[in-house]
Amino acid sequence: MTEFVKAIETKSISLELANKVLDAALVKGKEMGIPFSIAIVDRTGNLKAFAAMDGAPVLSLDIAQNKAFSAAAYNRATHEWYDRLKDDPPLLHGIVHTPRLVIFGGGYPIKLDGELIGGIGVSGGHYTHDMQVCEAGLEVLQEITQG
Amino acid sequence: MTEFVKAIETKSISLELANKVLDAALVKGKEMGIPFSIAIVDRTGNLKAFAAMDGAPVLSLDIAQNKAFSAAAYNRATHEWYDRLKDDPPLLHGIVHTPRLVIFGGGYPIKLDGELIGGIGVSGGHYTHDMQVCEAGLEVLQEITQG
Amino acid sequence: MTEFVKAIETKSISLELANKVLDAALVKGKEMGIPFSIAIVDRTGNLKAFAAMDGAPVLSLDIAQNKAFSAAAYNRATHEWYDRLKDDPPLLHGIVHTPRLVIFGGGYPIKLDGELIGGIGVSGGHYTHDMQVCEAGLEVLQEITQG
Amino acid sequence: MTEFVKAIETKSISLELANKVLDAALVKGKEMGIPFSIAIVDRTGNLKAFAAMDGAPVLSLDIAQNKAFSAAAYNRATHEWYDRLKDDPPLLHGIVHTPRLVIFGGGYPIKLDGELIGGIGVSGGHYTHDMQVCEAGLEVLQEITQG
């Protein structure tokens, strides 16, 4: 007999952890000297913490949030999309039109002990720059897990 | 002969100051024991810094941002709207439908030496609670001006 | 036998006239010392000419355009709506939710020899101020017709 | 000890200058005999001044505004995007879906003494035509700086 599942338990990033990740990303951003927008979302893609560095381009505000949303909402780093799309024309010409879905680098799922708890998204430089800022933020997770 | 005005100079809140205001608001929010969303926008209403306390209602995420936007975009605290609307039926039934305009408490302009530089918006409690959190954040401005 | 109607001829405001109306409205706006946004739309409500005075509130940009749109799209000054709504609860609580419809003052049809050719919308002050700016702009039409 | 940065000072185009740029662009547009839409936005991408020449295609109204927005919001001429995208497939298939981002010619940042103060966007012809109209508008800036 199958059990009646009444509720699903999920974990989502706390504001305290979100701010640690955000702060680590900001340190990297300042070091790189590019004005980035940095967004942390919870497991469901809703905004948890955000900072726009002084001078961040207006367009970066939404792109950062959409990258974080994309990463959490699909549990996939945004730079992993293109390899899966490039030889699949219906997806390449279709799924890229999904509102808020970003398919270039700068968005990563945030995981705790292998479990999705949120997302980080960065915009303001080329996506290779944005990815470095995300990775600096995510180092906080590695320190926590190892600590 | 009048001078040819080429550009308008304006000041907008820095991320450093935005984060100080946000932190002070968060301290008050925790003290009150209600999970608030808190948004700081720049002078033009664009998001600068944001935090959603753990457990903040999903609806509060956008309302906080819209309150901050409303306050900056019209240079008026959101709780000041209703007194101006209540005896002016066309506005009371009309302007309330303006996208992103919030006409209840919880959004304040942020001013430096009397000049608009941004806005703060808080949502999560009754608007009277939201207003207390805003005011705690704005005390940072008074300390800076006096210091 | 009824005639087969192949096409409808309509007149729409020219850019030259739109700019004359806009300029006259701007003169009034400067005289009043309030930073207004002023929009002129064509007969179908599409934007024809626009100016935001220095310091115009961010919210006024869209409201001015929506007032001009409302006036042209319904061939009715926006301040005439409320009297028709106030004793008609389904409309009062219903039609006010129509996107882009503004039901308070500051939007007027632009007519040439009694025929709708466009609309003007102004935002930035109380709607009674906005209406004065519109009326100053519309005086250009009276001069043209009389001249 | 680093100084506490409270506010960022920025310059944004005045209505007076915006109208001079718009007028110069209109002169060029008439000379070319193509009905263009021409938009001037401020530093944050908000509409400052606009004109649609008689007969401008309906689609050009928004495209002109979006080009001006794109140029100001990213501080980059819109025709510079494609060279950066063409060998970067994730961006080529991804960033083009960003709302309001235009990646073909006809949008330019407006700079005063090297500082971003706004944007101009033109639509109505092929983008090579649109670019000529923008450039005619931007000559006003060169005259001012040299004068």
Side-chain angles (χ1 to χ4, degrees), chain B residues 25-39:
Chain B
L26 275 171
V27 167
K28 181 69 176 179
K30 280 178 203 163
E31 187 191 306
M32 292 173 70
I34 299 171
F36 295 101
S37 289
I38 305 169

Side-chain angles (χ1 to χ4, degrees), chain D residues 30-95:
Chain D
K30 281 176 202 163
E31 189 190 304
M32 293 173 68
I34 299 170
F36 295 100
S37 289
I38 305 168
I40 313 290
V41 299
D42 69 14
R43 190 199 158 94
T44 56
N46 285 329
L47 193 61
K48 192 74 189 163
F50 179 86
M53 289 170 64
D54 298 338
V58 175
L59 272 175
S60 70
L61 305 174
D62 278 346
I63 297 178
Q65 293 179 60
N66 289 344
K67 284 179 176 175
F69 170 81
S70 297
Y74 221 85
N75 196 6
R76 178 181 293 166
T78 57
H79 65 271
E80 292 173 14
W81 273 98
Y82 190 70
D83 267 355
R84 293 165 182 258
L85 298 181
K86 68 181 194 304
D87 301 318
D88 193 335
L91 281 185
L92 182 60
H93 293 275
I95 206 167

Side-chain angles (χ1 to χ4, degrees), chain B residues 2-17 20 42 44 46 48 112 117 144, chain D residues 2-17 20 42 44 46 48 112 117 144:
Chain B
T2 57
E3 209 193 339
F4 171 34
V5 178
K6 293 176 214 157
I8 319 154
E9 237 170 302
T10 53
K11 281 182 186 153
S12 196
I13 191 165
S14 69
L15 179 58
E16 200 174 353
L17 178 51
K20 275 190 201 300
D42 68 16
T44 56
N46 285 329
K48 191 75 189 165
L112 190 67
I117 58 165
I144 285 172
Chain D
T2 57
E3 207 194 339
F4 170 33
V5 178
K6 293 176 211 158
I8 318 154
E9 236 169 305
T10 54
K11 282 183 187 152
S12 196
I13 191 165
S14 69
L15 178 58
E16 201 174 352
L17 178 52
K20 275 189 201 299
D42 69 14
T44 56
N46 285 329
K48 192 74 189 163
L112 189 67
I117 59 166
I144 284 171

Side-chain angles (χ1 to χ4, degrees), chain C:
Chain C
M1 190 185 145
T2 56
E3 208 194 337
F4 170 32
V5 179
K6 294 178 212 146
I8 318 158
E9 232 171 310
T10 53
K11 282 183 188 153
S12 195
I13 191 165
S14 69
L15 179 58
E16 202 173 351
L17 177 52
N19 277 334
K20 275 190 201 301
V21 174
L22 183 60
D23 286 347
L26 276 171
V27 167
K28 181 69 176 176
K30 279 177 203 163
E31 189 191 303
M32 292 174 69
I34 300 171
F36 294 100
S37 290
I38 305 169
I40 313 290
V41 299
D42 68 14
R43 190 198 157 93
T44 56
N46 286 328
L47 193 61
K48 191 74 188 163
F50 178 86
M53 290 171 63
D54 298 339
V58 175
L59 272 174
S60 71
L61 305 174
D62 279 345
I63 297 177
Q65 293 180 59
N66 289 344
K67 284 178 176 177
F69 170 82
S70 297
Y74 221 82
N75 195 6
R76 179 181 291 165
T78 58
H79 64 272
E80 293 173 12
W81 273 98
Y82 189 69
D83 269 355
R84 293 165 181 256
L85 299 180
K86 66 180 195 302
D87 301 319
D88 193 335
L91 280 185
L92 181 59
H93 295 278
I95 206 165
V96 294
H97 298 282
T98 309
R100 304 200 64 192
L101 176 61
V102 179
I103 61 140
F104 48 94
Y108 288 74
I110 298 178
K111 296 183 185 187
L112 189 65
D113 303 324
E115 190 182 337
L116 177 71
I117 59 165
I120 179 171
V122 173
S123 179
H126 183 262
Y127 60 76
T128 50
H129 301 128
D130 302 338
M131 289 167 74
Q132 292 177 55
V133 176
C134 288
E135 282 161 12
L138 292 175
E139 277 174 23
V140 168
L141 274 293
Q142 292 168 339
E143 287 158 20
I144 285 171
T145 314
Q146 291 164 357

